[in-house]
């Protein structure tokens, strides 16, 4: 296996090029603006959401508020990771790819933080719809698997076919999530008196989340119809702005205005200890 | 610390040898067949399970079905990761090991996906037995810790003793899982009217899960009584076939045939919002 | 991008220096004693806790016992990872840092295992206070995000400013956890008849957890007021001893002595299937 040892010297390892990646990003205005825009908006969102939640007092409403506040916080951390070069690596694309043999920046940190941020979005939706714990757990597991296999699709450099195989599997996990959002949870949400806001947020989530695999497919990681790392990054960044900050804003505004509806559900839920006092 | 910098050049980093590992795997028929066999079976299982679940309609039954469907999906992703070389690395075994100084392929991706797939198996068993959320959470935490320390056992290359120390700790976490499966959950399962199928699946899980540390111990990573990477891989692959696809098939067949029993439990569970409507 | 390929050769990759790191640790008595002390105490704690739990029989009390037992087990695994060099890397600190340009050992494995051990501590506290599942989930998510961003703060080497930016974000997640512990959970704990022990453990946790960011700030990773890797490591190790083993001991002693209080709560909880039989 001597060949493996020598081959390694010519490959650029992920994670060892932090400073170089940092200067690459700084020199690419389109790319760095796509990251800074989200850092600024995440910061504004956090301040706004803390302000909006100052008068929310019912326990269940506060939980939803807490889960929602985590969304821009995680996003802020994610974009800092990308900007600092910590969670960006260099991959050499495999034969068959439109950019075969070229080294491109891979923002693998996006997938990593999606494994943490998208479950919070589903948790907020699930709490809103007051769904069964088992259902919530299953959907979140499928969501995490979707993100992890998306990460794999981005990092596989040995074969073009395997990149798309991971893309297909990630999409299959996405179907499980979509099925729950479209066919299972609406009934629970209606039952919990949150049918309208759930419908709005669900539509927002479904439409925007369909955008991510689309950006992947047309961007540098997929078919490379868009060959610019900066424009691909802007694609994800715009989707993040709506799927995270706008989503969270709409949810919090509803929770603040409908505290009594949210609190009333608490009285029916068997998992809340305060509800069992009689 | 100049010595560290220079020493690093002679060590093969994990994750930088994807293409080389890919060709190693392709040239080893025993090894690659152990991976392709699971990819084929995982694909067949997914299609079969989607078909089997088409008539399941009760909410709780659908959750169990959804959790079960994730098992072959995660397995498919896991084996694609191994086949593509993404989650396979080269480790140089430490002094004291039977293959000391030799570089062997380490399928570290197996441990990584076990941290996602084994919780789904425990979740399915726990939902079936209708156990307490706290118990489910504790057992899944022990299970994840078992997989992570198993990964550590496989990746430690500085000392032979430390490899077995991690093996011992991973086994300790396994004991916590075994204790729950054998002593805690059967009562809940009987109470939920699922005693028989729970007993079958629990026995299958306990027996097969004992096989994994056994394969580790006799395979290339442990005592190397079996010195072939391909045969060790087949050991894990055969266990996966029974612990994942056969397990999931038996569970789904029962759920499809006993929807009313599963649904009846929903009426007693305090966590389901539909159950509290009177 | 040829410059990236060549630059990589002069940077020391994490994870490729296991054997070298191992000998570094062995040659530093202060450092290695900080690790061995915890291995010894974790081992003693495990044996003691198994002994203390031998007579606990009520289901809910056993879950809390199980969750608590995982704390020293995970800690043992964590310190083994550090001692073996597996989860310790070499980072070159960025310009602006007091030790700029120097290579120091980074015990990144601590952050990794905190993502598993601190949720268990919060889970034990949450089960004790019988809090809502949604609240528990939110707090644990904030806690995991706190650990992951702490890991990022330790690993960023491209910019001194970004290190502190991650420190600030990690602290923001910590505030969410603190808020729950100080303002949300005490009411639930009092309601569940565990107000006193919850108050004790909460104070212990809050005070000790404040110590971790303090050690980071004054230690080698932050302002480097303490320039010794060994002394910084002892800082974390002492905090771990109180936040993990002493915490778990106090909790288990209370559970063993108050099994009836813990069991009584089971009768009121809607999530326990045995409680709904009438």
């Amino acid at each position: 296996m001597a060949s493996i040892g020598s081959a390694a010297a010519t490959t650029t390892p992920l994670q060892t090029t932090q400073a170089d990646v940092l200067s690459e990003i700084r020199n690419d205005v389109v790319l760095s603006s796509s990251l800074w825009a989200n850092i600024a908006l995440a910061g504004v969102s956090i301040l706004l959401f803390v302000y909006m939640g100052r008068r929310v007092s019912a326990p269940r409403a506060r939980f939803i508020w807490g889960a929602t506040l985590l969304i821009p916080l995680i996003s802020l951390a994610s974009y800092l990771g990308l900007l600092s070069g910590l969670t960006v690596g260099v991959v050499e694309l495999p034969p068959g790819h439109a950019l075969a043999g070229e080294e491109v920046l891979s923002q693998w940190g996006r997938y990593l933080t999606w494994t943490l941020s998208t479950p919070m979005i589903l948790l907020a939706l699930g709490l809103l719809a007051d769904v069964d714990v088992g259902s919530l757990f299953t959907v979140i597991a499928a969501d995490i698997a979707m993100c992890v296999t998306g990460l794999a699709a981005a990092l596989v450099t040995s074969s073009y076919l395997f990149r798309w195989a991971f893309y297909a599997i990630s999409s299959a996990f996405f179907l499980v999530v979509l099925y729950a959002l479209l066919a299972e949870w609406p009934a629970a949400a209606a039952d919990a008196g949150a049918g309208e806001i759930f419908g709005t947020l669900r539509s927002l989530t479904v439409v925007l989340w369909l955008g991510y695999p689309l950006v992947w497919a047309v961007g540098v990681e997929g078919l490379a119809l868009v060959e610019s790392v900066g424009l691909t990054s802007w694609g994800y960044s715009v989707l993040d702005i709506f799927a995270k900050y706008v989503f969270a804003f709409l949810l919090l505004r509803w929770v603040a205005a409908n505290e009594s509806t949210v609190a009333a559900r608490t009285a029916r839920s068997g998992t809340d200890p305060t509800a069992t006092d009689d």
Side-chain angles (χ1 to χ4, degrees), chain A:
Chain A
M1 285 199 189
S3 64
I4 290 181
S6 60
T10 61
T11 318
T12 311
L14 289 174
Q15 188 61 287
T16 58
T17 57
Q18 225 180 93
D20 301 283
V21 168
L22 180 68
S23 68
E24 286 277 331
I25 294 171
R26 278 192 180 146
N27 293 334
D28 185 334
V29 178
V30 179
L31 177 56
S32 58
S33 63
S34 75
L35 306 178
W36 279 112
N38 266 269
I39 288 197
L41 281 170
V44 169
S45 300
I46 292 164
L47 296 176
L48 177 65
F49 295 172
V50 167
Y51 177 79
M52 284 169 75
R54 77 198 180 286
R55 279 180 309 203
V56 173
S57 62
R60 192 175 187 87
R62 289 203 74 85
F63 302 149
I64 299 183
W65 175 71
T68 313
L69 188 59
L70 293 184
I71 295 169
L73 267 172
I74 294 170
S75 191
L76 183 62
S78 173
Y79 280 96
L80 265 182
L82 297 174
L83 254 184
S84 67
L86 177 67
T87 56
V88 178
V90 177
V91 294
E92 193 186 307
L93 293 166
H97 193 283
L99 305 174
E102 284 186 45
E103 289 188 332
V104 299
L105 290 182
S106 168
Q107 302 184 331
W108 56 266
R110 287 189 184 272
Y111 303 90
L112 208 68
T113 44
W114 285 334
T115 61
L116 203 56
S117 63
T118 54
M120 296 316 297
I121 289 171
L122 294 173
L123 176 63
L125 282 173
L127 287 177
L128 191 68
D130 212 11
V131 299
D132 185 278
V133 173
S135 173
L136 194 58
F137 210 150
T138 305
V139 171
I140 287 178
D143 173 71
I144 292 175
M146 173 183 81
C147 296
V148 171
T149 45
L151 175 64
L155 291 185
V156 167
T157 56
S158 59
S159 149
Y160 186 54
L161 189 68
F162 279 129
R163 290 177 73 86
W164 286 100
F166 273 114
Y167 182 86
I169 292 180
S170 186
S171 302
F173 286 116
F174 187 31
L175 286 181
V176 175
V177 175
L178 279 182
Y179 177 80
L181 286 179
L182 294 173
E184 298 271 344
W185 290 9
D191 196 59
E196 203 180 329
I197 179 70
F198 180 84
T200 306
L201 293 176
R202 187 202 55 181
S203 303
L204 187 71
T205 300
V206 167
V207 170
L208 289 169
W209 286 27
L210 282 167
Y212 291 91
L214 198 71
V215 170
W216 199 94
V218 303
V220 281
E221 297 168 297
L223 299 170
L225 304 181
V226 174
E227 291 198 10
S228 154
V229 170
L231 285 180
T232 306
S233 179
W234 261 110
Y236 291 127
S237 290
V238 168
L239 288 170
D240 274 359
I241 288 168
F242 287 93
K244 295 194 170 61
Y245 319 129
V246 173
F247 171 94
F249 172 77
L250 292 175
L251 176 57
L252 276 187
R253 197 180 58 172
W254 183 86
V255 169
N258 295 273
E259 230 187 303
S260 55
T261 309
V262 177
R265 257 178 306 151
T266 315
R268 294 197 333 212
S269 167
T271 49
D272 190 308
T274 60
T276 53
D277 288 342
D278 33 7

